[in-house]
Amino acid sequence: MAGAVFAEEHRVLYYEADITGKLTTANILNLAILASGDQSETLGVGNAEIHAQNIGWVILQYNIDITRRPSVGEQIVIKTQADHYNPYFAVRNFWLETSQGEKLVDIRAIFTMIDMEARKMVRIPQVMMEAYQADKVKKIERIPNPMQLAETELPEVMHNFYHVRFFDIDHNHHVNNAHYFTWMQDPLGAEFLTQNEVVNINIKYESEIRYGSEINSYYKILPAVDGIVTTLHQIRVDNELMTEAEMKWRAVTD
Amino acid sequence: MAGAVFAEEHRVLYYEADITGKLTTANILNLAILASGDQSETLGVGNAEIHAQNIGWVILQYNIDITRRPSVGEQIVIKTQADHYNPYFAVRNFWLETSQGEKLVDIRAIFTMIDMEARKMVRIPQVMMEAYQADKVKKIERIPNPMQLAETELPEVMHNFYHVRFFDIDHNHHVNNAHYFTWMQDPLGAEFLTQNEVVNINIKYESEIRYGSEINSYYKILPAVDGIVTTLHQIRVDNELMTEAEMKWRAVTD
């Protein structure tokens, strides 16, 4: 069954792409959230409405499958749908497609809802999920955990430092989740990032990163298996684990 | 006289705004360049065509007057026009307006053209400027230099460090000029940036910053005169001056 599908068009702009001329994974996520925000506003359950009730959505995890990143100038369609939910978790799907319906990107996301002052989980209002026509379930379909960098490995693996900037905070007064992709992928370097194309990202958000924080972005590149390279990532602030991710890459052939 | 005006619409997206919910100055510049790129492509003199001839545009200086930064969700119109040129310099205008024609932002820019391999200035092909219907002149109208931080002052003034990231490079293989605004404004800090609103930016690019560079972003906040605070900025790499800017700010009253 699952909820109603909302769709909107977008032209990939030059400042949304990287050196390869393709939409960055950070902006893939920005566009996904744009579409869910627009759907929510259309249904009268947008951030303005729910923040007025002192509740807000928090992302817990994304699984992103990338068939092809669209290029600068390409017209794409962003689609989204609230899939299913239980009292504390909601699962949402996103797709990026060409205007001919070719699948480019497939995202599954797990959200929870919090009391914005107490910063504690609250029950998701059923009336809201009914607006999305999402399915009510007992148990949500979980996304497997990303493969983890062992804490004992950390002193051995590579890491870069990043500073959370003023312009990393969005109008909801939080660090835009898309920036985590920049902090995680940038340390891999230009050679890796132009010779490899990301095909899957499993990212799990553990704790919120704040303005002014010093970020330590750890990463490890595993040996290729069947032509697929896996990279493991952890973002830590004061050694506390904030976010972890597993990414899969295929070699660029051209 | 001046050249033909090209216009396109844009909706301000949440990831183009800062914590205030207003379009960042970096994205004001991104949208301006988007419109000139679209005009050039329409006229058959886009980057693809001119790069094939081993020539490319380089920005020298912008003067940006900001009446009001548009907010998330606002529909705006970006307009641009090649104004006038001589053999080595071209002056272009940009405006951001509301859909009702209210002026939001007014930009004047000076470009030059280079041989992309030799990285040396070349004559601007007249046929190209005729495509834009720009006026041919003997002397272009210069933009005054930004007020300068004296080199002797540098050891005394505040500065922050930034690292040029992989995702700062655009599909033309150069650092996107808009990122300079982030490196210059971020050091001013959240308190300054939420209590003051930028009304004018005069930025002059001296030398190209490359991927991997360590940037030293110097800034000085001058005492307010008639309610206007002026900030002076310099970006240096290995102590070489790359870019300088003067920005004017008014206190936010609400």
Side-chain angles (χ1 to χ4, degrees), chain A residues 8 41 45 54 110 112 143 153 164 171 204 232 242:
Chain A
E8 70 179 87
E41 227 171 88
V45 288
N54 193 38
I110 302 178
T112 187
I143 300 172
E153 277 185 292
V164 182
H171 69 302
K204 195 175 173 187
L232 305 182
M242 310 306 273

Side-chain angles (χ1 to χ4, degrees), chain A residues 8 10-11 13-22 24-25 27 29-34 38 69 72 160 162-174 176 181-183 185-186 188-191 193-194 211, chain B residues 8 10-11 13-22 24-25 27 29-34 38 69 72 160 162-174 176 181-183 185-186 188-191 193-194 211:
Chain A
E8 70 179 87
H10 183 77
R11 173 170 65 125
L13 304 177
Y14 79 96
Y15 57 89
E16 297 170 339
D18 63 22
I19 195 172
T20 67
K22 293 180 198 145
T24 62
T25 50
N27 283 320
L29 205 66
N30 276 330
L31 290 173
I33 296 302
L34 175 71
D38 285 339
R69 291 189 293 142
V72 173
N160 274 27
Y162 296 91
H163 189 82
V164 182
R165 301 172 178 174
F166 177 76
F167 296 103
D168 295 335
I169 317 168
D170 67 19
H171 69 302
N172 290 322
H173 294 212
H174 296 289
N176 177 340
F181 289 85
T182 304
W183 299 324
Q185 292 179 345
D186 178 62
L188 296 170
E191 196 179 316
L193 292 167
T194 50
Y211 169 60
Chain B
E8 70 179 88
H10 182 77
R11 172 171 64 127
L13 304 177
Y14 80 96
Y15 58 88
E16 297 170 339
D18 62 22
I19 194 173
T20 68
K22 294 181 196 145
T24 63
T25 50
N27 283 319
L29 206 66
N30 277 331
L31 290 174
I33 296 302
L34 175 71
D38 285 339
R69 291 189 293 141
V72 173
N160 276 27
Y162 296 92
H163 189 81
V164 182
R165 301 172 178 174
F166 176 76
F167 296 103
D168 295 335
I169 318 168
D170 66 19
H171 68 303
N172 291 320
H173 292 214
H174 297 289
N176 178 339
F181 289 85
T182 304
W183 299 324
Q185 293 179 345
D186 178 63
L188 297 170
E191 197 179 316
L193 292 167
T194 50
Y211 169 61

Side-chain angles (χ1 to χ4, degrees), chain B residues 5-242:
Chain B
V5 173
F6 178 89
E8 70 179 88
E9 291 192 20
H10 182 77
R11 172 171 64 127
V12 178
L13 304 177
Y14 80 96
Y15 58 88
E16 297 170 339
D18 62 22
I19 194 173
T20 68
K22 294 181 196 145
L23 186 66
T24 63
T25 50
N27 283 319
I28 287 174
L29 206 66
N30 277 331
L31 290 174
I33 296 302
L34 175 71
S36 64
D38 285 339
Q39 181 187 32
S40 302
E41 225 172 88
T42 304
L43 297 173
V45 288
N47 276 339
E49 287 87 356
I50 68 169
H51 291 175
Q53 298 172 53
N54 193 37
I55 54 175
W57 289 110
V58 170
I59 180 70
L60 297 178
Q61 195 170 0
Y62 287 109
N63 183 70
I64 308 172
D65 286 311
I66 301 173
T67 308
R68 176 172 76 77
R69 291 189 293 141
S71 294
V72 173
E74 206 169 336
Q75 282 285 353
I76 60 171
V77 180
I78 318 156
K79 293 185 176 173
T80 189
Q81 159 193 64
D83 193 277
H84 62 273
Y85 71 106
N86 71 12
Y88 290 102
F89 300 98
V91 177
R92 180 176 275 277
N93 301 319
F94 302 93
W95 303 271
L96 265 56
E97 297 179 1
T98 64
S99 36
Q100 285 77 40
E102 181 204 341
K103 186 82 66 74
L104 298 169
V105 178
D106 195 325
I107 305 175
R108 176 152 273 215
I110 302 179
F111 290 87
T112 188
M113 189 152 261
I114 60 160
D115 176 299
M116 307 246 296
E117 261 169 40
R119 310 301 293 171
K120 280 168 69 176
M121 269 171 72
V122 293
R123 270 183 175 261
I124 300 171
Q126 191 167 330
V127 59
M128 179 174 302
M129 299 313 292
E130 283 167 359
Y132 293 121
Q133 300 174 42
D135 295 335
K136 192 176 181 180
V137 298
K138 281 237 163 110
K139 285 186 96 162
I140 62 149
E141 285 171 32
R142 295 197 51 218
I143 300 172
N145 281 331
M147 197 194 307
Q148 209 173 21
L149 268 174
E151 198 155 349
T152 51
E153 276 185 291
L154 291 182
E156 316 278 307
V157 303
M158 306 286 283
H159 60 106
N160 276 27
F161 291 103
Y162 296 92
H163 189 81
V164 182
R165 301 172 178 174
F166 176 76
F167 296 103
D168 295 335
I169 318 168
D170 66 19
H171 68 303
N172 291 320
H173 292 214
H174 297 289
V175 171
N176 178 339
N177 284 314
H179 294 304
Y180 291 66
F181 289 85
T182 304
W183 299 324
M184 286 182 163
Q185 293 179 345
D186 178 63
L188 297 170
E191 197 179 316
F192 184 93
L193 292 167
T194 50
Q195 292 178 359
N196 295 278
E197 182 64 27
V198 69
V199 293
N200 176 262
I201 299 175
N202 179 343
I203 185 167
K204 195 174 174 188
Y205 297 92
E206 305 280 355
S207 206
E208 193 183 338
I209 296 176
R210 297 185 182 279
Y211 169 61
S213 294
E214 288 294 342
I215 282 172
N216 208 335
S217 176
Y218 292 93
Y219 68 101
K220 185 180 184 180
I221 304 175
L222 302 182
V225 176
D226 296 335
I228 297 292
V229 170
T230 299
T231 58
L232 305 181
H233 304 264
Q234 279 194 6
I235 285 178
R236 288 177 174 261
V237 174
D238 293 334
N239 205 35
E240 186 194 346
L241 177 62
M242 310 307 273

Side-chain angles (χ1 to χ4, degrees), chain A residues 92-160:
Chain A
R92 180 176 276 276
N93 301 319
F94 302 92
W95 304 271
L96 266 54
E97 296 178 1
T98 64
S99 36
Q100 286 76 41
E102 181 204 342
K103 186 81 64 76
L104 298 168
V105 178
D106 196 325
I107 304 175
R108 176 152 273 215
I110 302 178
F111 291 87
T112 187
M113 189 152 261
I114 60 160
D115 175 298
M116 307 245 296
E117 261 169 40
R119 311 300 292 170
K120 279 168 69 176
M121 270 171 72
V122 293
R123 270 184 175 261
I124 301 170
Q126 192 169 332
V127 58
M128 179 176 301
M129 299 314 292
E130 282 167 359
Y132 294 120
Q133 299 173 42
D135 295 335
K136 192 176 182 180
V137 298
K138 282 237 164 111
K139 285 186 95 164
I140 63 149
E141 285 171 32
R142 295 197 52 218
I143 300 172
N145 281 331
M147 197 193 308
Q148 208 173 21
L149 268 174
E151 199 157 346
T152 52
E153 277 185 292
L154 291 182
E156 317 278 307
V157 304
M158 306 286 284
H159 61 104
N160 274 27

